[in-house]
Amino acid sequence: MEHVHHALQLGHSDEHGFRDIKLIHNCLPGISSDQISLQTSIGELNLSSPIVINAMTGGAHETEEINRELAAAARETGLAMAVGSQMSAIKNPEVESSYLVVRKVNPGGIVFGNLGSEATLEQALRAVDMLRADALQIHLNVMQELIMPEGDREFCGVLERIRTIVDQVGVPVMVKEVGFGMVKESAEALFQCGVRIIDVGGAGGTNFAAIENARRRVPMDWLNDWGCKTTIALLEVLEAKHRNQIDASIIAAGGISRTLEVCKALTLGASAVGMAGSLLKVLREQGTEALVTQIVTLHEELRLLMTAMGANSIERLHEMPVVITGETAEWCAARGVDISSYALRTGYRKV
C-alpha cells in the first residue's frame, strides 16, 4: 500500500514522448464511425478493447478493495486486467484474497497474472492457477530493485527462467518493463526465448525510481530520470520485431492517460495500450462509476480519432502514416532505429 500512496502522490510526468508523434489528418476518410472496431489481439488472446488495465497492486489486505473495484470496472467495460506481483501471496497465502477478488468479481473476464523475473516455473504455475489466469506477465524492474533498500541485487539466469516458463506454463507469457523502457537488444533476447508479447513499459508514467527514493533514508535522486521514454521504447521494440520478422504483439505503456496518446501508440504499431496510474487516480478520487465513465469516454474518443484517420480497425491504424519528430527522432537516428518508413505508409491510399 505504501507504493500506491507514493504513486498517487507523485503522479506521472507526462514526459513519455508522445508530443513527438504527429498523426496525419485525412480529410477523405471514407468510413463512418459505426464501422469502427476496437477489437485487437495480443498473442493468442482476443480482446474487445486495445486498452488494458495494467498491473498495479495486490499483496495486502488494504489493496483488496482497489483490485475489487478495478475488476468491476474491467467487467463493465470489457477490458483485460493485470494484477500486481503475486509473489507476496505465494510466500504468504494470507494475502491471496487481494488477488482472488479479481476473478471473483470478473469471472468471465481476461485476467493476467504477474510475477517478477526471479520466479521459478513452480511459482509461475501457482500464480496462473491462483487466478485461472489467461496469461502471465513477468515484470522486469532492475533499477527499481537496485534503488529499493531491501531490493534484489542479483539478476543472473533471468532469460533461462523466462524460457522455461514460456515453454511449460501453459498460457501466453508477456514480459513487461516497469517504467524504465526496453530497447531492441533486450527485445531480441526475449524473442529468442520464445516470448511473443512484450510490454515496453517506458519512462514517463509512474516513476518507480522516484518512489523508491522517497522511501530511502538517503535518496539517490540522480537516478530519477533513468531509462528511455515510452515512444522510444515502443519504436526500439518494434524495430526488433520488424528486423527479426517476428510475429509478436507489442503493448505500449508508460504514462499513457489520454485518448490521443492511445491512438498514437496504436498507430505506431502497438497492438494494445496499458494504462495504470491515470485509472487508479480516477478510481481513488472519484470512484468506480467515474472510472467506468472514463473508460467509456476513452473508447468513444478513440472511435472518433480512428474515423478521422480513415482506419476502421487497429490493424488499419498500423498502416496509417505518422510523423516522428523531436527527441524521439533524434534518439532513433543515433540508435539506428529506422523511422523513415512510418511517414511514408500508404494506408490513406487504400480508402
Side-chain angles (χ1 to χ4, degrees):
M1 194 66 184
E2 183 184 5
H3 284 90
V4 172
H5 169 75
H6 284 301
L8 289 170
Q9 187 176 50
L10 291 169
H12 64 271
S13 66
D14 272 346
E15 294 182 1
H16 39 48
F18 282 100
R19 293 184 185 87
D20 294 341
I21 310 303
K22 313 296 183 184
L23 299 177
I24 299 175
H25 173 58
N26 183 359
C27 64
L28 295 169
I31 62 172
S32 63
S33 294
D34 59 9
Q35 296 174 324
I36 302 295
S37 170
L38 298 183
Q39 293 182 349
T40 190
S41 60
I42 52 174
E44 305 164 16
L45 301 174
N46 295 317
L47 310 183
S48 62
S49 166
I51 298 171
V52 173
I53 300 176
N54 225 343
M56 281 184 257
T57 192
H61 294 296
E62 295 88 345
T63 61
E64 184 170 335
E65 178 189 355
I66 294 175
N67 275 343
R68 178 187 297 110
E69 299 311 312
L70 288 173
R75 181 192 63 213
E76 295 304 310
T77 57
L79 267 56
M81 174 182 168
V83 300
S85 177
Q86 294 167 262
M87 191 60 76
S88 56
I90 289 174
K91 293 180 178 179
N92 180 13
E94 291 183 1
V95 299
E96 270 194 10
S97 61
S98 65
Y99 302 97
L100 296 175
V101 68
V102 173
R103 183 55 81 187
K104 181 179 180 181
V105 169
N106 192 11
I110 294 179
V111 177
F112 305 154
N114 184 301
L115 287 172
S117 61
E118 77 280 8
T120 64
L121 174 60
E122 179 185 3
Q123 291 169 333
L125 290 167
R126 288 178 63 188
V128 170
D129 183 65
M130 186 188 302
L131 291 174
R132 291 182 286 115
D134 300 281
L136 178 67
Q137 287 185 340
I138 297 177
H139 66 262
L140 309 175
N141 63 332
V142 171
M143 184 52 73
Q144 181 185 10
E145 293 287 347
L146 290 172
I147 298 174
M148 192 187 306
E150 71 278 21
D152 292 335
R153 299 293 185 271
E154 194 273 311
F155 305 98
C156 301
V158 170
L159 286 172
E160 290 79 4
R161 288 192 293 274
I162 290 175
R163 185 191 299 275
T164 300
I165 291 170
V166 168
D167 288 343
Q168 300 186 48
V169 78
V171 296
V173 174
M174 58 188 73
V175 176
K176 71 184 298 288
E177 236 294 347
V178 183
F180 299 96
M182 189 179 296
V183 294
K184 56 186 178 180
E185 293 86 353
S186 299
E188 288 171 354
L190 291 168
F191 290 149
Q192 291 170 9
C193 289
V195 174
R196 292 297 179 265
I197 309 172
I198 289 179
D199 180 332
V200 306
T206 301
N207 188 329
F208 288 98
I211 286 175
E212 297 306 336
N213 274 319
R215 300 175 63 240
R216 287 182 64 93
R217 184 176 58 84
V218 180
M220 295 189 290
D221 295 338
W222 47 278
L223 288 172
N224 282 355
D225 64 350
W226 187 265
C228 61
K229 294 181 177 182
T230 303
T231 51
I232 290 169
L234 178 56
L235 287 163
E236 286 255 3
V237 175
L238 287 168
E239 175 77 5
K241 171 186 173 178
H242 297 149
R243 182 174 296 181
N244 292 274
Q245 299 183 331
I246 300 292
D247 183 17
S249 303
I250 312 304
I251 301 173
I256 297 174
S257 62
R258 302 174 183 87
T259 313
L260 188 59
E261 297 155 3
V262 172
C263 191
K264 288 178 177 181
L266 295 171
T267 304
L268 284 175
S271 296
V273 171
M275 299 178 69
S278 61
L279 301 183
L280 179 62
K281 188 173 189 292
V282 173
L283 175 64
R284 299 299 281 176
E285 293 182 357
Q286 302 177 52
T288 311
E289 187 175 341
L291 177 57
V292 170
T293 299
Q294 172 73 0
I295 295 168
V296 170
T297 299
L298 286 168
H299 284 159
E300 291 173 348
E301 292 176 349
L302 182 56
R303 289 189 179 94
L304 180 152
L305 286 171
M306 292 172 68
T307 303
M309 296 175 69
N312 60 7
S313 67
I314 306 304
E315 291 78 10
R316 287 284 286 130
L317 272 182
H318 294 169
E319 301 173 0
M320 296 299 168
V322 56
V323 176
I324 301 166
T325 68
E327 181 183 340
T328 302
E330 293 170 4
W331 173 293
C332 289
R335 286 274 296 159
V337 175
D338 180 22
I339 61 172
S340 60
S341 61
Y342 286 87
L344 301 176
R345 289 173 176 172
T346 59
Y348 285 177
R349 302 176 193 174
K350 299 177 183 179
V351 174

